[in-house]
Amino acid sequence: MGIFLLVAFITFKKEDFKFQKELLFPILLYVLMVISYFWSVEPKETLSALSKEVPLLIIPLGFLIFKTNTSEQKRKIIEYYSYTIVAFVLYYLVRAIIRYFIFGDARMFFYHGENDKDYGLVPKLLNAIHMSVFVAVAFFYFFTKEIKSKVDNLFSVVLFGFILLLSSKNIILVVLFLSLINIFFFSKAAHKLRLRNLIIFGLLVVIIFSLGRIKDRFKVEFQTNTDKSLSADVIEGIPPSVHYVSIKEAWSNPTFTTNDYFNGTAFRVYQFRIFTELINENNAFLTGFGLNASYPKINEKAIHYNLYMGKKNDSEGGYQSKNFHNQYVQNFAELGIFGFILLLFLLIINVKNAIKSKDFVHFAFAFLMISLFLTESFLWRQRGVVFFTMMYCLFNSVPKVRDVQNSSKAE
């Protein structure tokens, strides 16, 4: 990022500058994070987190002053990015095969392992859910190319298969949905048969969700007790004797026991529950608790509700050490209503410009972020904030007037 900003300053010319309101919102979000230090309940935590979130300032600033930013450059950057992701995917597939022959453990091909037991397809610190998003953007680049070579088709299959192996149900569903949208409404054949495609698409959705196993897979989310979940579990390695907390219990139980286990969906329901309680009890609607300062409050609620708090020397920890696993809630809890509104502005602008540009990769990125933010505090991770901010600025930055004129002359 430092090199990026340095090159932007070195090549900057006054006539190249063009104010773009789309790039102002990430900067405003970072400014709000800085200001939250003055009311933070944990000032030291807020101060240390500001360096992690600085891409929200540096990347938009670089795009504002960079020399050129044409549609062709955007396409090239996404192309280079996608081929790089293919290289990563091939590396992790070869790694999984080698590790399988060494250890004889099929888990080497799926999801991620634990911090101290790296038995997954990707390391825990990389995170299978985050990797799914990175791969999904590259997948849609190859999948939506108008003229595809055999290599493009091969890469599409490999990337889609890798997403399946990463086993993030949320991302898999979104990728499948977006793929069907592209096939039935954005492909060349789709334009000729739009009404028929609409009918077929509707029937496919009904049939898919009516199939026995798939229907049951969604029904269990709302049953009284289940160990199934649409969202990733936040604590792994739970013994079979524990009680699985249902969604209803997560929302309404007056207390829990250390033997109660929350699957991914139930835990996120519990987190939303304590978020509403914390905001009301602390009158934090306007300001929140400060950037990265909600952990003490989450810990207080874990003690109050008698949640599992982990064991000594347990690298995974208990439920009290987990963030809200929801970017919308995380923004609201730590930056107040204005932090929440700024996040919504970012997403709305992203979707609006994706539709306007008719760029399906941009549209896929926008939809993936809206969905991902429901189950992950993605921007509170360095890889997440760098990825989101860079892609947001790349897709939403407007070509300079001079570049548009040159492009028109070329045509």
Side-chain angles (χ1 to χ4, degrees), residues 147-367:
I147 302 175
K148 289 193 280 285
S149 65
K150 291 181 180 179
V151 173
D152 293 329
N153 287 323
L154 176 63
F155 285 164
S156 296
V157 172
V158 170
L159 293 177
F160 182 74
F162 195 78
I163 292 170
L164 293 178
L165 292 177
L166 287 171
S167 309
S168 171
K169 292 179 284 293
N170 179 19
I171 302 303
I172 290 172
L173 286 174
V174 172
V175 168
L176 285 172
F177 177 75
L178 288 172
S179 298
L180 290 173
I181 289 289
N182 179 264
I183 292 169
F184 286 110
F185 299 103
F186 286 85
S187 63
K188 287 184 177 180
H191 294 297
K192 301 176 183 177
L193 305 167
R194 191 170 296 278
L195 179 59
R196 192 196 72 171
N197 287 340
L198 179 62
I199 295 171
I200 294 174
F201 178 74
L203 289 173
L204 276 176
V205 171
V206 172
I207 292 170
I208 288 172
F209 285 93
S210 298
L211 291 175
R213 289 187 178 181
I214 298 176
K215 183 179 179 181
D216 292 341
R217 185 69 181 84
F218 283 87
K219 282 175 65 178
V220 295
E221 289 292 328
F222 305 98
Q223 292 176 349
T224 303
N225 284 292
T226 177
D227 58 352
K228 305 294 183 182
S229 172
L230 278 176
S231 306
D233 296 338
V234 295
I235 292 182
E236 300 173 8
I238 301 299
S241 60
V242 302
H243 167 73
Y244 287 90
V245 177
S246 68
I247 291 175
K248 181 179 179 181
E249 291 170 337
W251 181 257
S252 59
N253 272 19
T255 187
F256 300 93
T257 71
T258 55
N259 197 47
D260 285 334
Y261 168 64
F262 294 78
N263 65 32
T265 307
F267 182 67
R268 285 161 175 84
V269 170
Y270 162 80
Q271 289 284 62
F272 185 76
R273 171 189 178 180
I274 65 169
F275 156 71
T276 59
E277 293 175 1
L278 288 170
I279 291 296
N280 291 327
E281 293 167 3
N282 294 272
N283 296 317
F285 183 84
L286 288 177
T287 63
F289 300 110
L291 176 66
N292 213 43
S294 60
Y295 287 100
K297 297 297 180 181
I298 293 173
N299 185 67
E300 289 174 10
K301 284 294 181 180
I303 295 172
H304 173 77
Y305 284 113
N306 193 35
L307 265 59
Y308 172 72
M309 305 289 281
K311 300 176 182 178
K312 291 182 179 179
N313 302 320
D314 184 1
S315 61
E316 195 61 34
Y319 293 112
Q320 82 287 353
S321 63
K322 310 300 177 185
N323 63 29
F324 283 105
H325 281 74
N326 182 309
Q327 192 62 61
Y328 306 101
V329 170
Q330 199 81 43
N331 269 52
F332 207 136
E334 298 188 355
L335 302 174
I337 183 63
F338 298 108
F340 175 69
I341 290 173
L342 276 173
L343 180 64
L344 290 184
F345 273 138
L346 282 167
L347 296 177
I348 291 170
I349 289 170
N350 201 22
V351 172
K352 178 184 174 183
N353 288 339
I355 296 172
K356 185 178 179 181
S357 68
K358 298 180 181 179
D359 181 350
F360 195 84
V361 179
H362 184 183
F363 180 78
F365 166 72
F367 201 88

Side-chain angles (χ1 to χ4, degrees), residues 133 136-137 171 174-175 178 364-373:
V133 176
V137 173
I171 302 303
V174 172
V175 168
L178 288 172
F365 166 72
F367 201 88
L368 280 164
M369 291 299 101
I370 291 172
S371 175
L372 180 68
F373 286 179

Side-chain angles (χ1 to χ4, degrees), residues 49-67:
L50 287 174
S51 61
K52 178 181 64 181
E53 302 296 333
V54 79
L56 289 166
L57 172 66
I58 291 178
I59 295 175
L61 185 60
F63 272 87
L64 282 170
I65 64 177
F66 214 75
K67 183 179 179 181

Side-chain angles (χ1 to χ4, degrees), residues 85-101:
I85 290 296
V86 168
F88 271 106
V89 165
L90 293 176
Y91 164 76
Y92 280 113
L93 286 174
V94 171
R95 175 180 180 264
I97 293 170
I98 294 172
R99 282 153 54 87
Y100 173 75
F101 281 111

Side-chain angles (χ1 to χ4, degrees), residues 37-54:
Y37 170 82
F38 297 100
W39 64 70
S40 175
V41 297
E42 291 287 333
K44 290 183 179 179
E45 293 295 327
T46 298
L47 190 62
S48 65
L50 287 174
S51 61
K52 178 181 64 181
E53 302 296 333
V54 79

